[in-house]
Amino acid sequence: MTNYNPKSIPAQDRMPGRALLNRTECSALRGIAILGIFLHNYLHWLKPMVKENEYQFHQANVDGMMERIMSPSWDILLQFFSFFGHYGVPVFLFLSGYGLVLKYENAGPTAAGGDTVGDIWQFIRQHFMKLFPMMALGFTVFAMVDWITPMRHHWSWSDIIGQLTMTINLFPKPDSVIWPGPYWFFGLMMQLYLLYRVVLYRRGNKVLLTLILLCWAMQAMCFDAPEGEALNRIRYNFIGGMLPFGMGILLARMPSLPRPTASASLSVFILSLFAVLTLSLGFHAWLWVPAFVVSLHVALIKILPSFCIKAFDRLGVLSAAIFVCHPITRKIFIPISRSGDIMDGLVLYVVTTLVLAMLFRMAIQKMRNQ
């Protein structure tokens, strides 16, 4: 196996200081994460596929995945993406926390402005406008496609406003009001941007660790109803994403981290993979799976050969556009897979998603440049 050589990266693409992850590695991580997300968001809608434990913990889903592991069939890889693919979201949250620190804390004490209401508002406005063009364009196109395809969704005016303002995560029964489903992520990111700027920016790690533990405790208190609505609502909001987001902040704040050896990275990858598989079996352990998902992906990016890094980097460049447009192509092609031609529909979905993502990326860039 050929190790990835960071010296081959142009100087302008390297992170400042001795950051553990450089820009190309971060982009490749986004590529791996979006691959899991957009395959999961297609496959888990199909009846033969085992369902995931993303917002709630269903023991029946765990048992179903274990049965497929013990008696694998031709679709075992698809089953893994259906059950585990949603863990691309914690990787994105980790990278967001990591990037915020490198951009605002490592760049200087006032890179994100002062503590006045105006400074905070400017930060939030800037990040809202970074997300809004992607979300608005995707939502508009999806709404038109949804209207002309079977089983269309009936939005209320409040749902539409909630989605466009990225506050829909706060609504009761998010499963029934957030459509298309993946767009809940925009509201989650706005919550985390606000939390970072108001609570975590230029404050010590004790505050961050306390917040992580509080968010864990709120989820752990739902142990008597792991399939209930309380846990569901919690995990649609920042409480459910605080662990990987906080890990990104902590890692970026660590000074002068040495680059790990290939053998150390391989060891971390194997241990993390084992942890993800075993901790997924029970409710309380499941709450900590995102931490090991992050360590697994970081270790993986250190042991992949250079050609894989380059391929995932190209996918990572398209990750935002893929995220925005994949619900559109899913609505069009999933009837093919539901009728029994699983691979036919899946291949069409993957190809058209990638092509449409390229067009979306150009359109989004044009909107931002205007």
Side-chain angles (χ1 to χ4, degrees):
M1 183 175 289
T2 305
N3 290 329
Y4 181 57
N5 181 11
K7 293 182 180 179
S8 63
I9 304 169
Q12 66 269 23
D13 289 337
R14 299 177 190 169
M15 290 293 194
R18 295 183 63 186
L20 180 64
L21 296 167
N22 56 51
R23 284 190 175 88
T24 302
E25 288 171 332
C26 288
S27 179
L29 280 172
R30 292 188 190 95
I32 296 173
I34 197 61
L35 178 65
I37 289 171
F38 97 96
L39 288 178
H40 158 78
N41 281 332
Y42 185 91
L43 292 168
H44 80 142
W45 283 90
L46 305 179
K47 282 187 178 180
M49 299 297 151
V50 65
K51 303 305 180 282
E52 75 287 351
N53 288 334
E54 185 172 6
Y55 312 108
Q56 299 156 303
F57 183 84
H58 299 269
Q59 187 61 50
N61 293 348
V62 176
D63 296 340
M65 190 68 239
M66 291 302 298
E67 289 177 9
R68 287 161 176 80
I69 292 175
M70 299 303 295
S71 302
S73 59
W74 69 269
D75 62 352
I76 184 62
L77 183 60
L78 304 184
Q79 299 286 357
F80 265 94
F81 276 113
S82 179
F83 188 79
F84 290 107
H86 68 92
Y87 281 119
V89 171
V91 177
F92 274 114
L93 298 181
F94 163 79
L95 291 170
S96 296
Y98 188 80
L100 284 170
V101 171
L102 293 179
K103 183 175 181 179
Y104 294 111
E105 296 183 23
N106 292 5
T110 59
D115 293 325
T116 67
V117 174
D119 291 327
I120 295 173
W121 169 251
Q122 179 62 27
F123 180 92
I124 298 303
R125 180 183 178 278
Q126 175 187 347
H127 285 82
F128 180 90
M129 293 309 300
K130 182 174 72 172
L131 297 176
F132 183 79
M134 293 187 294
M135 183 272 299
L137 179 59
F139 183 76
T140 301
V141 176
F142 177 84
M144 292 188 291
V145 170
D146 186 71
W147 184 255
I148 62 177
T149 51
M151 300 179 65
R152 62 176 180 260
H153 181 75
H154 295 277
W155 286 280
S156 69
W157 66 268
S158 59
D159 296 344
I160 297 171
I161 292 176
Q163 183 62 69
L164 293 177
T165 58
M166 304 182 214
T167 58
I168 200 166
N169 302 53
L170 303 173
F171 287 22
K173 298 182 179 180
D175 287 334
S176 61
V177 298
I178 299 176
W179 186 249
Y183 287 5
W184 72 279
F185 184 77
F186 291 106
L188 173 64
M189 284 309 306
M190 282 309 304
Q191 291 180 21
L192 290 172
Y193 285 140
L194 180 62
L195 187 72
Y196 172 77
R197 185 60 182 82
V198 175
V199 179
L200 301 174
Y201 176 59
R202 293 191 299 178
R203 289 182 173 86
N205 288 335
K206 288 183 180 179
V207 174
L208 175 59
L209 292 171
T210 300
L211 188 57
I212 290 174
L213 290 175
L214 285 174
C215 291
W216 161 79
M218 291 183 67
Q219 296 173 79
M221 289 172 63
C222 298
F223 71 94
D224 58 338
E227 300 179 12
E229 185 60 24
L231 182 63
N232 193 43
R233 289 195 68 182
I234 283 174
R235 290 177 66 85
Y236 262 104
N237 291 281
F238 78 89
I239 297 168
M242 192 62 226
L243 176 59
F245 182 72
M247 287 179 64
I249 294 174
L250 286 171
L251 184 62
R253 286 176 175 175
M254 291 181 181
S256 302
L257 285 172
R259 297 192 69 85
T261 62
S263 58
S265 297
L266 181 60
S267 297
V268 171
F269 174 79
I270 294 172
L271 292 173
S272 298
L273 180 61
F274 178 77
V276 169
L277 295 175
T278 55
L279 295 180
S280 297
L281 301 178
F283 171 73
H284 286 289
W286 164 74
L287 295 175
W288 296 100
V289 169
F292 293 95
V293 167
V294 168
S295 62
L296 182 151
H297 281 78
V298 172
L300 175 62
I301 214 68
K302 298 297 182 181
I303 59 178
L304 282 176
S306 58
F307 73 91
C308 287
I309 296 288
K310 292 176 181 177
F312 283 123
D313 174 31
R314 293 190 182 97
L315 195 61
V317 170
L318 287 174
S319 61
I322 291 172
F323 182 82
V324 169
C325 71
H326 81 273
I328 302 167
T329 52
R330 178 184 66 184
K331 189 72 190 317
I332 296 170
F333 293 110
I334 202 166
I336 299 174
S337 293
R338 282 178 166 169
S339 67
D341 299 319
I342 293 179
M343 292 306 300
D344 294 346
L346 181 61
V347 170
L348 285 169
Y349 166 72
V350 170
V351 172
T352 55
T353 296
L354 294 177
V355 173
L356 187 62
M358 297 176 192
L359 300 176
F360 261 66
R361 183 169 181 264
M362 289 188 291
I364 292 168
Q365 287 178 329
K366 197 168 185 179
M367 290 173 65
R368 286 176 172 170
N369 293 333
Q370 288 179 349

